[in-house]
Amino acid sequence: MKLITAGERRYALLLAARDSDYVKKVYGGYFNVFVAAFGEEGERWDLFRVVDGEFPDMNELHKYDGFVVSGSPYDAYGNDYWILKLCFLLQTLDAMEKKVLGICFGHQVLCRSLGGKVGKACTGWDIGLRKVNIVKDLSVPGFLEDLDEVPSSLSIIECHQDEVWEVPMGAEVIAFSDKTGVEMFAIGQHILGIQGHPEYTKDILYNLIDRLLNNNSIERDFAENAKVGLEIAEPDRKCWEKICRNFLKRRQNFTFS
């Protein structure tokens, strides 16, 4: 599902993971998952497989209205060449004040690129549904204003063993959980990081849990408990999608003060 209309808004997915066999078979690839979650008719979405060294032309960046950085099995604090190149790209986009939405690894690598600290989560893997609490004393950012009511908490699908330790200078922590101190952060009007996966469906996570179990990344009891949690509750997926769309497409200014 690629939405292209000449002269309309243009976005890019910076894909930091390779398509799993399951996602390719069921959805045609992660690109389609992201466009289904965040895209709208009359937009152009381009795919850059940064994990394989495919990056947008630096002279073309001004043509984009926003960028989304996906999750990844790689460490955001790693020094693989493509990760370092991605960090430089994100620093450039920040200087241009282009909208950048980072998801999971994207959230972490955004933080690293802009001067924050990331690393292994002190409490280990977080896989399954997690209740994320919105910071109470925060002035409501613009991308939350369009919700009928700003919720005190939202459930989201998580799958990570790394986390943000310290946000960059000038960043605001918007949400936290009992597992992770920085579930969501923003800088100005153009940077938003989300640790969870607003784009994930349950079946994608079920398959990912099986793959992590099969390659001995997690224990069987842990995997089964994560699946049970998915069976008894639902993520607030529509609300997360609206937040992400509002952030990427909202023209009005928003501030934290």
Side-chain angles (χ1 to χ4, degrees), residues 36-254:
F38 305 148
E40 295 174 334
E41 291 295 335
E43 296 174 350
R44 171 171 175 167
W45 281 77
D46 297 331
L47 171 62
F48 296 96
R49 298 182 183 274
V50 294
V51 67
D52 291 323
E54 184 183 315
F55 283 79
D57 187 325
M58 299 297 279
N59 295 318
E60 300 281 317
L61 300 181
H62 66 280
K63 296 181 179 180
Y64 288 90
D65 294 285
F67 297 79
V68 178
V69 190
S70 78
S72 176
Y74 290 84
D75 297 326
Y77 46 85
N79 290 317
D80 304 65
Y81 177 73
W82 72 269
I83 295 177
L84 298 179
K85 188 173 181 179
L86 177 59
C87 287
F88 177 74
L89 172 60
L90 295 176
Q91 290 164 0
T92 302
L93 295 175
D94 174 53
M96 295 173 71
E97 295 194 353
K98 286 291 184 182
K99 294 273 185 91
V100 183
L101 170 63
I103 304 297
C104 197
F105 166 91
H107 160 87
Q108 297 159 12
V109 80
L110 256 180
C111 176
R112 173 194 178 175
S113 301
L114 303 182
K117 295 180 181 179
V118 300
K120 279 280 183 284
C122 301
T123 55
W125 280 99
D126 189 9
I127 301 177
L129 280 182
R130 176 69 52 187
K131 185 176 81 167
V132 169
N133 304 298
I134 307 299
V135 173
K136 290 182 180 178
D137 58 355
L138 186 71
S139 295
V140 179
F143 54 85
L144 295 180
E145 284 180 355
D146 291 339
L147 302 179
D148 294 333
E149 180 181 350
V150 177
S152 59
S153 65
L154 289 166
S155 291
I156 194 168
I157 290 175
E158 305 259 8
C159 187
H160 64 101
Q161 61 174 338
D162 298 334
E163 66 183 5
V164 168
W165 288 351
E166 184 179 313
V167 295
M169 185 177 299
E172 292 282 353
V173 177
I174 298 174
F176 63 95
S177 69
D178 56 5
K179 177 81 169 176
T180 304
V182 183
E183 290 279 3
M184 192 175 179
F185 78 92
I187 300 176
Q189 305 173 46
H190 62 290
I191 299 292
L192 177 62
I194 299 174
Q195 179 58 74
H197 283 275
E199 83 285 6
Y200 267 17
T201 53
K202 280 186 173 184
D203 61 298
I204 291 176
L205 185 60
Y206 277 125
N207 177 261
L208 183 50
I209 290 171
D210 287 340
R211 286 189 284 127
L212 290 170
L213 179 60
N214 290 337
N215 67 20
N216 298 314
S217 294
I218 57 176
E219 299 292 333
R220 182 166 297 278
D221 287 349
F222 183 85
E224 293 305 320
N225 286 337
K227 288 183 178 181
V228 169
L230 285 170
E231 290 169 2
I232 62 177
E234 293 291 331
D236 293 306
R237 197 156 170 263
K238 292 300 180 186
C239 190
W240 282 109
E241 288 178 358
K242 186 171 184 180
I243 289 170
C244 293
R245 286 177 176 173
N246 285 353
F247 167 75
L248 287 169
K249 296 151 198 205
R250 185 182 174 92
R251 294 187 186 278
Q252 298 96 322
N253 291 347
F254 67 86

